[in-house]
Amino acid sequence: AVERHRTAQLEARAELNNPGARVLEPGYEFTGDENAPTLPRPEELADYHADLGSKCPSDIDIDSSVRKYCTEVLGNDDAEKTVLVLGNSHAQQWIPAIKTYAQDHNWRVIAYVGQGCFYTEASQQPKTQPHCAGWFEHSEHLLTSNDFDTVFLQGTFASVESERVNENLTSAIRRLTGRGTTVVGIRDNPRFKEGLTQCALTLGRDDPQCTQVPPAVRQDDPQKALADGIDGYVTVDMTSFICPGGSCHPVIGNVYVFADTNHLSAPYGESLIDAFGDQLTEALS
């Protein structure tokens, strides 16, 4: 009971004490408690998977063998658009931002998420994730048999050393846009050999070893040329809010930025909702 009460107090004060990426907005002034605990608490770091909503609706045409990967994030009988979030956990982490934007724009949101899978080609699915072969195999049927106005997917693939656009993904994007579907490529977030948050918990958040500059952060979004060349393909790049000024810090706005070596923490992802929405509005305009 004490622990639940403490958690409730931290959450109630989080908007003031733990603004996260909101501190990067022009003119932001911190008015919270400078001694407030940094969120998420260490024991909550692993809880970064965004809520995928309810089971797949009956009107979505999808093979029964992979229906378990389909969910309805936001239902809306009078939706102006139906959009799909397609990919793995790196697409899933943007669902809170996409859902908020969808609520404001009268959209319905469906997700098709396979943990550890890549929307590229069959041969590139991780051998350690045997379910990905079926997930990918039936993705094309899902896309061609349902009328999705917009598809959100992971547009680049980052590693510790580099970041690239996959050629097979480029072909898939052309197929989608050729059918009149708008595709939003979300730039992948940086990845690290060792977690910055874990470093901060061990050495302290201000230790210089816990701030890194991955090679991918030094370059422009690799999707730019692709977006310039494909009508209907637009991009969202949140790198400047994840690693502002080209450096990746363990803590921004009293929030741990990363949950592990390659995922954003849930509170930091939620603090990016407004910035994500602004970029999406600009991209779709």
Side-chain angles (χ1 to χ4, degrees), residues 44-269:
E44 297 169 337
L45 280 168
D47 186 23
Y48 59 82
H49 289 290
D51 183 10
L52 287 169
S54 56
K55 67 179 182 179
C56 193
S58 59
D59 66 311
I60 299 297
D61 186 356
I62 186 172
D63 192 273
S64 59
S65 65
V66 292
R67 181 167 284 276
K68 60 187 175 182
Y69 302 118
C70 167
T71 59
E72 186 172 55
V73 174
L74 181 64
N76 187 342
D77 293 336
D78 301 315
E80 294 182 11
K81 291 184 178 182
T82 297
V83 306
L84 175 71
V85 180
L86 174 66
N88 55 31
S89 57
H90 281 243
Q92 182 179 352
Q93 66 186 355
W94 296 110
I95 280 181
I98 295 170
K99 182 178 179 180
T100 298
Y101 193 90
Q103 288 170 327
D104 294 340
H105 291 78
N106 196 30
W107 291 357
R108 180 191 189 198
V109 183
I110 304 297
Y112 184 62
V113 173
Q115 299 298 334
C117 307
F118 296 96
Y119 182 64
T120 51
E121 65 174 18
S123 64
Q124 293 180 334
Q125 302 308 310
K127 291 182 173 57
T128 56
Q129 306 289 344
H131 65 280
C132 289
W135 175 88
F136 178 79
E137 178 186 350
H138 294 287
S139 61
E140 189 64 19
H141 174 81
L142 172 68
L143 291 166
T144 57
S145 301
N146 298 277
D147 187 18
F148 296 117
D149 298 280
T150 302
V151 174
F152 291 85
L153 45 75
Q154 178 185 330
T156 68
F157 298 85
S159 66
V160 174
E161 296 83 15
S162 63
E163 182 183 13
R164 61 187 173 85
V165 174
N166 189 284
E167 290 183 7
N168 297 93
L169 179 61
T170 301
S171 300
I173 289 168
R174 292 187 184 279
R175 290 196 300 272
L176 286 167
T177 56
R179 295 196 291 264
T181 302
T182 299
V183 180
V184 179
I186 305 172
R187 186 180 184 181
D188 200 5
N189 57 261
R191 302 174 187 238
F192 309 92
K193 287 184 179 179
E194 298 180 359
L196 303 192
T197 297
Q198 288 68 26
C199 177
L201 291 171
T202 303
L203 302 179
R205 54 191 286 178
D206 297 322
D207 192 292
Q209 296 181 63
C210 301
T211 295
Q212 296 187 25
V213 184
V217 177
R218 301 175 192 157
Q219 66 180 26
D220 289 336
D221 186 352
Q223 304 176 96
K224 281 186 175 181
L226 193 63
D228 291 340
I230 301 179
D231 188 27
Y233 184 60
V234 300
T235 64
V236 171
D237 178 7
M238 301 303 295
T239 306
S240 63
F241 291 91
I242 298 171
C243 298
S247 297
C248 302
H249 302 271
V251 176
I252 296 175
N254 205 24
V255 174
Y256 290 115
V257 178
F258 297 94
D260 53 21
T261 59
N262 69 106
H263 293 95
L264 300 177
S265 73
Y268 198 75

Side-chain angles (χ1 to χ4, degrees), residues 2 36 225:
V2 170

